Amino acid sequence: MSGAALGIEIVVVFFLALFLLHRYGDFKKQQRMVLFGTLLAWYLCFLIVFILPLDVSTTIYRQCEQDHKEQASVPALVSPLSNRTIVNTTAAPTKSVRTLCHKPWSYIPDGIMPVFWRVVYWTSQCLTWLLLPFMQSYARSGGFSITGKIKTALIENAIYYGTYLLIFGSLLIYVAVHPELRLSWYELQTIGITAANTWGLFLLVLLLGYGLVEIPRSYWNSSRHGHLLVKTYFKASKLMTEKADAEENLEDVMEEVRKVSESIKYNHPLRKYIDTILRKCPLDYQEKMGRNMDDYEDFDDKQNTYPTEKSLVKLHKQVIYAVQRHNRTRVQWQILLQQAIHLEDVAKNETSSTHQFVHSFPSSEPAGWFSRYIYTPTVEWYWECFLKRWFYRLLSIVLTLFSVVVVWSECTFFSTRPVLSLFAIFIQLAERDYNYLYIEMACFITIFFLCTCVYSTVFRIRVFNYYYLASHHQTDAYSLQFSGMLFCRLTPPLCLNFLGLIHMDSAISHQEKLQTAYTSIMGSMRVLSFIANGFYIYYPMLIVILCIATYFSLGTRCLNLLGFQQFMDDSEMTSDLIDEGKELIRREKRKRQRIEDGENRRREWKERYGNPREDYAARNRSSHEMKETSYSDTVSSSNSRQAKYSRSGSRAERDRIELLQDAEPLDFNAEALTDDPLDAESGRFKEEFQISTIASQQEGPEFTIREWRACVEFACSPCVCVGSPRVFRLPPQSKDM
């Protein structure tokens, strides 16, 4: 099993990162470079979380072997008080003690972990500080070429990269001015790592203080169906406002695109940029704009003012953002609507005496084997109406206890004598028995809980809708890369903080113990003693204040005072938004009910009277054959009377006759007829209008319509009368009649 656990976890973590990226990103529409950068950033961060417990267990085993080697070397020492050598006094105990050092099942050979951590850490740091900011600007750019996007990205990040160069240059100047300071490459590397971890720890405590309180509270509130339904109404009201704003913004941008598209003709040099912008627009807008684009006017004939390429780049950027925001709000509205309907169904079924869950709108998809045999309506009722709430309450209590342990350990992890950190106590108890499986599970659960508190806060962040991670493939490229940057900056200090909690970071615990490979890559923080002995120890205590502020919802109240509406039970504005959201959900349910009733009526009509489309299609085919036979006889007979009923045999006349003779058969009933008998009359008028339109296209502007009943007469062709699904062709009438 040497190294097998490491290989398995590397593969499993890759598929985990790929699954999350597929859930939040869009593999079909987003750029490959954006997807690859985000996937790599998430993958490296998850690797640190999953591999660190293996590093801890391997380090404990190596520490055990080192302790036994030191004990084994004690009997060979010569006593300074006498010339006797102490032998065989502890030989047997040493042998018995040495057998306790069992090699862990996930043991990683020496030399692998330092190289692994070095590659993972420095790759993630290059991504978060250099590549991802550039890729963010590249993906957000509205340029029409790769060169233009790269140029825009470099200009936007000039200040960002210039700040790095300024800090690094100032450090070099400071070292050059003070000759007594001789910093080696290792010390410069440690200073850079310390600066990155300090920035990450500053943000980490803020996010962790919110997540430690909000996650247990969210599960407790999820057990309260009434509270959850009211909050869903509140979200529906806010989301509808955002959806309307997104639609209005899209309309404004599309109007601007339409004006630019009409001003720049096909032969204009900038027309290719307009076509690129139009391809990013929704399909219905593309069709509307394409109807009036059949002119080929020369742009030099008129002295018009045309937009510049820079303005088109800006417009392209606005189109991308507006379309993505519109699609995201539309999908989120459908998801929230489904959640609200489900919660209302739960509230209705709680008082059911049959103990079977009934849905207001059953799923149109056929039920699978899981729903038929395992998750039956009875099982669903017991889970949704009874067991689920108690499960969430129990989970909330467990997470609350875990949060209390984290807060206590963050405030006391610097104390080594006595050991006050609860995580350090648990690990040391398992270390005495060398229970490696328990050590790895305890480390993984602790890191996973910390990462959940931090990452869930990142996924909930909404900075004026600019950074927003939305599931169901609705996250834009800019937000995906922003999350990758945050993960790469938060994960290393989070894991370093965890090693401090279990007293395996010598810079904090001040114990002469064997360090993990991860800590050795981070370097000794004693190069900057004021950070190692000050900031890293006392700043995490701020988490207590943040947890208290989150518990009393001080941040929510401040945002509410500033005008950002937040869900608060004692606010009149919240009550108004709840009532508005309830009415919106009721309206959407009525609309969905009407659609479902219409489908049921059509289904019943088909079952009772069959499908008339096939009968009409067969009737049209037979009538078309009769029509062609009758038409050929009529044409042959009319040729003998051509001098009487038609003009002189001109070429234009013959072309028109050939055009009618070679015309493709038209099925006027297959597309016009509907399944609803109430729409038959309206379909008939649509059909007649289509016939007249087709006639005008075939015969030219000389045709006249005698009646609205679709009886048409052409200047040089027989009269066609369509009043029923059957088509009759009448012989030509003489002018005397």
Side-chain angles (χ1 to χ4, degrees), residues 12 14 207 232 289 501 524 602 666 670 679 683 719 721:
V12 172
F14 174 78
L207 299 177
T232 304
M289 297 177 189
L501 293 179
S524 177
R602 292 186 182 92
L666 299 175
D679 297 337
C719 181
C721 179

Side-chain angles (χ1 to χ4, degrees), residues 475-543:
T475 306
D476 56 31
Y478 200 73
S479 298
L480 283 176
Q481 293 174 331
F482 174 76
S483 65
M485 290 172 56
L486 279 183
F487 286 176
C488 291
R489 296 180 186 183
L490 293 175
T491 305
L494 185 145
C495 293
L496 198 62
N497 178 258
F498 165 74
L499 293 177
L501 293 179
I502 62 175
H503 291 177
M504 296 198 71
D505 187 1
S506 60
I508 297 176
S509 62
H510 302 286
Q511 295 178 351
E512 297 298 332
K513 295 178 62 176
L514 195 63
Q515 293 186 353
T516 61
Y518 183 81
T519 311
S520 63
I521 295 301
M522 290 297 173
S524 177
M525 300 301 169
R526 295 171 184 174
V527 177
L528 300 175
S529 58
F530 67 95
I531 293 180
N533 299 327
F535 183 80
Y536 276 14
I537 293 178
Y538 299 106
Y539 178 72
M541 296 181 184
L542 184 63
I543 200 171

Side-chain angles (χ1 to χ4, degrees), residues 392-506:
Y392 279 163
R393 289 175 182 176
L394 180 61
L395 182 60
S396 176
I397 294 173
V398 173
L399 293 178
T400 301
L401 295 177
F402 221 104
S403 298
V404 172
V405 172
V406 170
V407 173
W408 172 263
S409 300
E410 289 285 355
C411 297
T412 59
F413 72 94
F414 59 88
S415 176
T416 57
R417 293 182 182 178
V419 178
L420 299 179
S421 175
L422 297 179
F423 292 115
I425 294 175
F426 296 152
I427 296 299
Q428 289 178 6
L429 290 176
E431 185 179 354
R432 294 175 183 176
D433 299 331
Y434 300 103
N435 191 346
Y436 298 110
L437 183 60
Y438 172 81
I439 293 173
E440 293 174 3
M441 292 302 299
C443 292
F444 175 75
I445 293 174
T446 305
I447 299 176
F448 182 77
F449 177 74
L450 295 176
C451 291
T452 302
C453 295
V454 175
Y455 291 168
S456 62
T457 308
V458 173
F459 277 79
R460 294 179 183 179
I461 283 180
R462 298 184 62 177
V463 186
F464 304 107
N465 290 331
Y466 207 66
Y467 306 111
Y468 185 33
L469 291 177
S471 57
H472 298 82
H473 320 290
Q474 298 303 314
T475 306
D476 56 31
Y478 200 73
S479 298
L480 283 176
Q481 293 174 331
F482 174 76
S483 65
M485 290 172 56
L486 279 183
F487 286 176
C488 291
R489 296 180 186 183
L490 293 175
T491 305
L494 185 145
C495 293
L496 198 62
N497 178 258
F498 165 74
L499 293 177
L501 293 179
I502 62 175
H503 291 177
M504 296 198 71
D505 187 1
S506 60

Side-chain angles (χ1 to χ4, degrees), residues 171-172 174-189 191 527:
L171 180 61
L172 292 180
Y174 180 79
V175 173
V177 171
H178 296 78
E180 66 276 4
L181 296 178
R182 297 184 178 275
L183 296 179
S184 62
W185 170 250
Y186 173 78
E187 293 174 342
L188 287 175
Q189 180 180 349
I191 291 176
V527 177

Side-chain angles (χ1 to χ4, degrees), residues 233-234 236-237 576-586:
Y233 289 148
F234 177 81
S237 178
D576 295 339
L577 292 176
I578 290 173
D579 295 337
E580 181 181 352
K582 185 183 299 184
E583 182 62 30
L584 290 172
I585 298 299
R586 188 181 299 121

Side-chain angles (χ1 to χ4, degrees), residues 64-108:
C64 173
E65 284 195 332
Q66 182 176 349
D67 293 341
H68 282 75
K69 288 181 180 179
E70 293 178 356
Q71 293 178 5
S73 62
V74 171
L77 296 177
V78 179
S79 176
L81 300 178
S82 63
N83 293 328
R84 293 181 295 107
T85 302
I86 305 175
V87 291
N88 295 330
T89 56
T90 59
T94 302
K95 184 176 180 180
S96 62
V97 172
R98 190 176 300 177
T99 57
L100 296 177
C101 289
H102 299 287
K103 182 180 294 186
W105 69 278
S106 59
Y107 175 75
I108 301 174

